Amino acid sequence: MERRQRKQQMGDESLLSNKKIAEILREISEMMEILGENPFKVRAYENAARQVENHPAPLAEEIEGLDEKGQIEKLGEIPSVGKGIAERLVQLITSGRMDYYEELQKKISPQMLEMLKIPDLGPKKVKALQEAGIKSIEALEKAAKEGKLRTLAGFGTKTEENILRGMELVRAQRERILLDEATEMATALLNALKKSGLPKRLEVAGSIRRRKETIRDIDILATSSKPKALMDVFVNLPQVKHVAAHGETKSSVTLQE
């Protein structure tokens, strides 16, 4: 009951972009490969991710207003999206979560998932690192700096250099993101807040409004006759990973991305 009320209040269906859905599908394919799943199933999720990312219309909008059967059939019309993947996408889009995705995450350590974010480290190499006893980012960096990775099958001097460069890139991305990415996240937040019907005025401020190349924080200004209710909606959005502050007129959160 609580989940259904929350969904109706926030309009979850508009919150997940095709790009974010595709990212989740790719991560699923990577986790499946690490776990040794059937290569055809792995490739199915890779292909579905590519088709979803290039799809001309937002999936959430295309299935809005349809019953569950109609939603599955509609998504099944997309090339490379079979019935099984379509069913899981419906759950993801309508509830903000996917059981299968969460099951895979429980089977793989957070460190392995972190390694997958490093350029030049695909599922096969991450699995090889784990088998070699390198099971943390810290251990990976130490091994690369000491020249120990080049002794592993499929690795070499160039791979070590790329991994170290990739780790620096990941660290930099944690601090700031590109303007286009920040704008996309901000737009999703604005749409969700507008659907609550609580803001009288709503706009993006700070670095995004000034069109800076990279963004550290997303600043949103709002006016409302019910500011506390609006703050409650904001901190409970599905994009929110951590609530740093929750007041009646000002709140601060960390997003999942």
Side-chain angles (χ1 to χ4, degrees):
M1 180 67 175
E2 181 182 348
R3 182 183 298 171
R4 183 167 65 251
Q5 289 175 338
R6 181 180 173 194
K7 177 186 167 187
Q8 291 171 345
Q9 180 186 37
M10 297 184 295
D12 289 12
E13 292 178 346
S14 68
L15 299 178
L16 277 175
S17 67
N18 287 3
K19 179 182 177 183
K20 181 60 181 176
I21 294 170
E23 287 175 0
I24 291 172
L25 290 173
R26 284 197 184 92
E27 191 172 333
I28 287 173
S29 73
E30 291 171 345
M31 289 190 287
M32 289 173 70
E33 186 170 352
I34 289 174
L35 292 169
E37 294 284 347
N38 187 308
F40 291 104
K41 291 183 179 180
V42 173
R43 198 170 302 118
Y45 277 88
E46 290 175 356
N47 293 337
R50 185 167 56 253
Q51 293 292 341
V52 166
E53 189 166 32
N54 294 325
H55 194 67
L59 301 192
E61 291 183 9
E62 292 208 332
I63 67 172
E64 191 172 7
L66 300 175
D67 61 18
E68 185 176 0
K69 182 181 177 183
Q71 292 173 333
I72 293 170
E73 291 176 350
K74 186 65 178 178
L75 294 181
E77 295 174 2
I78 301 172
S80 299
V81 176
K83 184 180 178 182
I85 294 178
E87 290 174 347
R88 286 167 177 163
L89 286 180
V90 167
Q91 184 192 23
L92 176 64
I93 295 169
T94 58
S95 70
R97 55 181 297 274
M98 185 197 294
D99 290 338
Y100 184 59
Y101 179 56
E102 293 174 5
E103 287 168 11
L104 290 176
Q105 287 181 313
K106 291 176 182 176
K107 295 178 181 178
I108 295 179
S109 71
Q111 289 286 355
M112 290 181 79
L113 294 177
E114 193 71 16
M115 286 183 185
L116 284 171
K117 297 177 183 178
I118 300 172
D120 206 51
L121 270 188
K124 289 181 181 177
K125 286 184 177 176
V126 170
K127 188 175 182 179
L129 289 170
Q130 297 290 308
E131 291 173 350
I134 301 173
K135 299 182 178 181
S136 70
I137 296 294
E138 293 74 21
L140 175 62
E141 184 172 25
K142 184 174 184 292
K145 287 180 176 179
E146 294 176 355
K148 294 180 178 178
L149 295 183
R150 66 191 68 175
T151 62
L152 301 177
F155 290 76
T157 305
K158 189 67 176 177
T159 304
E160 285 180 336
E161 294 173 358
N162 290 342
I163 287 173
L164 289 171
R165 265 199 305 269
M167 293 178 79
E168 290 301 318
L169 180 63
V170 169
R171 288 193 184 104
Q173 288 175 339
R174 285 174 181 163
E175 294 297 322
R176 306 187 74 86
I177 60 174
L178 295 174
L179 174 62
D180 287 349
E181 294 178 33
T183 301
E184 183 179 340
M185 294 180 200
T187 300
L189 292 171
L190 291 178
N191 289 339
L193 293 172
K194 285 176 184 175
K195 283 203 170 187
S196 72
L198 293 170
K200 290 183 178 179
R201 184 179 175 188
L202 196 63
E203 62 183 50
V204 177
S207 301
I208 294 181
R209 186 165 64 184
R210 293 194 295 273
R211 308 298 296 172
K212 296 289 186 178
E213 272 189 36
T214 59
I215 309 298
R216 183 185 297 273
D217 301 300
I218 296 173
D219 298 298
I220 296 176
L221 298 178
T223 59
S224 174
S225 59
K226 298 179 179 179
K228 183 180 182 303
L230 183 58
M231 291 297 106
D232 290 343
V233 169
F234 174 65
V235 299
N236 284 293
L237 292 175
Q239 298 102 313
V240 173
K241 180 178 182 180
H242 171 71
V243 179
H246 181 191
E248 293 191 4
T249 59
K250 183 178 180 180
S251 296
S252 178
V253 302
T254 301
L255 300 182
Q256 298 283 356
E257 296 184 75

